[in-house]
Amino acid sequence: MISKEMESRIDKFIEENRQNIVNDIAKLVNIKSVSTHSDDPNSPFGEGCHKVLDKALEMCEAMGFKTRNYDYYAGSAVFGSGDKDIAILGHLDVVPEGEGWSHDPYDMIEKDGYIYGRGVADDKGPTVVGLYALKCMKELGVQPNYTFRLVMGCSEETGMGDLPHYLEAEKMPTFAFTPDADFPVCIGEKGQLGVTIEIPVEGKVITNLIGGTVSNAVCASATATLKGVTEADLGSYDKAVYSVEAVEGGIKLTAVGKTAHAAKPEGSINATKVLFELIATLPQLSEAEKNAVKVVAEVLKDCHGAGIGVEVEDEPSGKLTHINGVDAMENNNLQLKLDIRYPVTMKGEELFASIEKHIAQIGAKAVLRNNSVPCYKPADTPEIKTLLAAYDHVTGEKGVPYTIGGGTYARRFDNAVAFGPHFHNMPNPCGEGKGEEHMPDECNSVDFLMKALKIYILSLIGLNELSL
């Protein structure tokens, strides 16, 4: 693939830059950059995203790369000046920290070979690794046949509203990969439906509902305000799961669950489902509220579509998944926001028609918020073969392409895939329900990050030799 002398130089670069990479990841992680809508034209996704992009571009410039700021929607750094672009698509925004952390999520720590903090895995850590892959090419004296561009977005976690602005300013890359998934290489991403279930209640007992923080993670905590209810009315309940606060005229009942990303909900516990299991025992409920409780139980009874009338799967990408991430109550309607990931061979509009019919039959209404179509790439292209060759060389394995339920930047580009940086065999030191992306105590192994860096360097060198 490459000469032994070149590989030795790459290994030396990685060894010499290991601590620099960790330090640079910390500089970004320590800036809270949850993407939020802002009316400030200089900070379209909030002050945190503004600050973290400034810091990232500063790092790129210090390495000698030419940079560009796309009005704080995104930024980029380039190596080379070819007519065609090959892009690495990273993002600097993060999901909210949530609860359950063992330390400050925005003060990165390093312990026993792991780094901890919001964004170390998704996606600040991988973005820094992508930057150092370009730095290695530059220092090795590789003559770029393309413009290699590191793109750093600011709204990947909140709908990818950064990309249209970026693509107005830059041409579509000839090929791109995003370091925002697992190795070996992801060639397909399920479609995504955003659906809100509106459930009528009279507001006799259930007067408010608040749950979750983001739509693409299973609701971890949900609170209902209950009028005319006392703690005694609840009977015996699990105090590790439920908590009660007395308020004027009633109580606030909170339930906690176990979150997970919408793409991999198996094993999660939806707090809203748990909350309504206890609410269902109250004798004070009106008939409308009793039906609402039944609707919630039906919709959230599983995570593979049975509760919403679309229990389907296909050969390339497996089962449909659905989760409830955010709850609210408005105009005497409970609102459950669902994130649905559907198989790559299916059509979102047809699935929504089935969902709409099923939900109507149980006394509620389904409202379509968005439909992002699936993406699927052939595994036998020169680009994919090049990525797999780099993975195989570094790991000694025979990588097999796969599909995911997650949505990455790859779905918004003509020829792009998700490629690492995570390894299925990386131990999780935090235990179940912690340590992974979107979870408390998000962490990453420094050794595995260095292995990913080598795969990226070899991949970029290999891509540079292709005629695309």
Side-chain angles (χ1 to χ4, degrees):
M1 186 174 187
I2 57 169
S3 69
K4 289 185 178 180
E5 187 269 338
M6 176 66 86
E7 185 165 11
S8 177
R9 292 174 64 195
I10 291 170
D11 291 339
K12 183 180 179 183
F13 172 89
I14 293 171
E15 181 181 353
E16 291 177 345
N17 283 278
R18 179 187 176 102
Q19 193 57 49
N20 294 333
I21 292 168
V22 170
N23 294 344
D24 282 343
I25 293 172
K27 291 175 185 176
L28 302 184
V29 169
N30 293 351
I31 300 171
K32 182 176 180 178
S33 55
V34 177
S35 182
T36 58
H37 173 74
S38 170
D39 293 327
D40 181 353
N42 293 317
S43 302
F45 301 114
E47 183 180 357
C49 287
H50 180 119
K51 289 181 177 179
V52 78
L53 183 58
D54 276 345
K55 177 59 68 174
L57 293 175
E58 177 187 303
M59 286 164 41
C60 296
E61 290 163 3
M63 295 181 188
F65 294 116
K66 182 180 178 181
T67 65
R68 185 172 178 183
N69 185 337
Y70 307 95
D71 304 315
Y72 289 98
Y73 282 78
S76 73
V78 297
F79 170 58
S81 56
D83 293 335
K84 297 179 180 179
D85 279 17
I86 291 177
I88 303 171
L89 310 170
H91 68 90
L92 302 175
D93 62 310
V94 296
V95 297
E97 63 276 13
E99 300 175 353
W101 285 77
S102 304
H103 53 84
D104 185 347
Y106 302 111
D107 185 10
M108 194 189 90
I109 63 170
E110 184 177 3
K111 179 181 178 183
D112 299 329
Y114 283 76
I115 51 176
Y116 296 81
R118 179 57 89 220
V120 295
D122 183 15
D123 192 45
K124 293 176 177 179
T127 300
V128 170
V129 169
L131 172 60
Y132 273 82
L134 295 184
K135 184 175 191 283
C136 182
M137 290 180 72
K138 182 170 177 281
E139 293 191 3
L140 290 176
V142 174
Q143 294 301 310
N145 297 318
Y146 298 90
T147 295
F148 289 90
R149 187 182 302 274
L150 175 68
V151 180
M152 296 164 284
C154 291
S155 182
E156 195 273 348
E157 300 287 3
T158 53
M160 305 185 194
D162 46 356
L163 291 185
H165 196 84
Y166 166 78
L167 289 170
E168 285 178 3
E170 301 289 357
K171 60 179 176 289
M172 185 69 68
T174 298
F175 179 68
F177 69 80
T178 178
D180 198 11
D182 296 337
F183 286 119
V185 60
C186 173
I187 58 172
E189 298 183 7
K190 288 180 176 177
Q192 296 181 22
L193 286 174
V195 175
T196 300
I197 307 299
E198 297 184 348
I199 311 167
V201 291
E202 295 171 341
K204 177 192 172 189
V205 174
I206 305 170
T207 61
N208 197 26
L209 174 67
I210 300 174
T213 55
V214 290
S215 60
N216 63 352
V218 175
C219 181
S221 176
T223 300
T225 303
L226 305 173
K227 182 180 179 181
V229 176
T230 67
E231 184 173 3
D233 293 327
L234 300 173
S236 177
Y237 63 89
D238 187 346
K239 289 182 170 57
V241 176
Y242 300 98
S243 60
V244 178
E245 176 189 353
V247 296
E248 185 177 352
I251 62 170
K252 282 187 176 181
L253 176 64
T254 297
V256 295
K258 184 171 71 174
T259 193
H261 192 282
K264 296 182 284 187
E266 293 81 5
S268 64
I269 300 173
N270 189 290
T272 307
K273 177 178 181 290
V274 175
L275 176 68
F276 276 84
E277 286 172 350
L278 187 53
I279 292 174
T281 66
L282 295 173
Q284 296 98 321
L285 297 179
S286 68
E287 289 304 312
E289 289 168 331
K290 289 178 181 178
N291 184 69
V293 167
K294 292 178 181 177
V295 173
V296 173
E298 170 68 11
V299 169
L300 302 182
K301 71 181 182 182
D302 80 318
C303 63
H304 290 296
I308 55 175
V310 284
E311 192 173 12
V312 297
E313 61 183 295
D314 71 4
E315 179 71 26
S317 56
K319 295 180 179 181
L320 176 147
T321 62
H322 81 282
I323 64 108
N324 157 232
V326 176
D327 307 320
M329 183 170 172
E330 199 171 291
N331 300 323
N332 283 338
N333 277 293
L334 303 180
Q335 296 180 342
L336 308 184
K337 289 189 175 181
L338 305 186
D339 185 319
I340 302 162
R341 310 294 171 102
Y342 63 89
V344 297
T345 60
M346 298 183 183
K347 295 182 179 180
E349 56 270 23
E350 294 176 357
L351 291 170
F352 177 70
S354 297
I355 294 168
E356 192 174 31
K357 180 179 178 181
H358 180 83
I359 296 301
Q361 288 173 344
I362 59 175
K365 180 181 179 181
V367 178
L368 180 65
R369 300 195 312 274
N370 60 274
N371 176 22
S372 180
V373 299
C375 66
Y376 189 60
K377 305 296 181 188
D380 59 354
T381 66
E383 304 96 286
I384 304 302
K385 288 180 178 179
T386 298
L387 303 187
L388 286 172
Y391 173 83
D392 292 353
H393 180 83
V394 173
T395 65
E397 300 174 3
K398 184 65 177 175
V400 178
Y402 67 96
T403 63
I404 60 170
T408 72
Y409 278 150
R411 71 195 305 120
R412 301 297 179 91
F413 289 80
D414 292 344
N415 187 21
V417 295
F419 183 46
H422 308 304
F423 296 85
H424 292 292
N425 62 342
M426 187 187 90
N428 180 355
C430 300
E432 188 178 359
K434 288 192 171 186
E436 297 181 17
E437 307 95 313
H438 293 207
M439 290 184 180
D441 291 347
E442 179 181 339
C443 68
N444 216 332
S445 160
V446 179
D447 284 344
F448 278 83
L449 276 175
M450 297 306 108
K451 186 186 294 188
L453 173 57
K454 185 171 182 179
I455 292 171
Y456 289 154
I457 294 167
L458 294 180
S459 296
L460 294 174
I461 291 174
L463 290 169
N464 191 53
E465 297 171 354
L466 298 179
S467 296
L468 299 177

